[in-house]
Amino acid sequence: LDAASVFVSMSVSEGMPNSVLEALSAGKLCLLSDIEPHRELHQLFPDRITLVSLDIDEGSLAEIMTDLIYEKSKKDMVIDSDILSGEKMGQTYLAFYREVLGHESC
């Protein structure tokens, strides 16, 4: 990650995107597939994450990657590590599960 200019993940499906969390913690810009787990992180870090459709063509993907590599204004942003903490993420998912299940017994 230290040598990377941009972190790219074009996953079709993910649970907890730990590799993306690591990249964000390392201060990397992320280019991610537009799937639900990545959308959740994009809501938290809209200036650090770019979402693209899974059916994007190679030329367009390469162009976006190049643009991100040279985008200086976002590279110096600091990520609040409290947002990425295991405790915080656990609390967020617990609240989600409670909402889905419709009760407080979780």
Side-chain angles (χ1 to χ4, degrees):
L1 281 174
D2 285 339
S5 298
V6 174
F7 179 82
V8 179
S9 175
M10 295 302 291
S11 300
V12 175
S13 173
E14 283 201 41
M16 173 66 75
N18 289 324
S19 59
V20 177
L21 295 173
E22 286 182 41
L24 289 168
S25 294
K28 302 303 175 183
L29 295 176
C30 296
L31 177 59
L32 308 174
S33 52
D34 189 7
I35 60 174
E36 187 58 33
H38 294 164
R39 282 186 220 118
E40 289 179 26
L41 290 175
H42 182 260
Q43 289 177 349
L44 294 172
F45 307 105
D47 294 333
R48 304 292 298 170
I49 295 174
T50 299
L51 298 176
V52 295
S53 173
L54 283 167
D55 62 1
I56 191 169
D57 64 87
E58 291 176 11
S60 297
L61 183 60
E63 185 177 326
I64 293 170
M65 289 172 67
T66 301
D67 289 347
L68 288 175
I69 289 169
Y70 292 105
E71 189 167 335
K72 303 292 186 201
S73 63
K74 292 183 181 178
K75 289 187 177 184
D76 297 328
M77 295 179 75
V78 176
I79 297 293
D80 181 359
S81 61
D82 288 339
I83 293 174
L84 296 178
S85 74
E87 182 178 343
K88 178 69 173 179
M89 295 300 276
Q91 290 171 355
T92 300
Y93 277 95
L94 182 58
F96 171 75
Y97 295 141
R98 284 180 174 156
E99 181 181 324
V100 170
L101 295 173
H103 55 77
E104 298 290 322
S105 66
C106 295

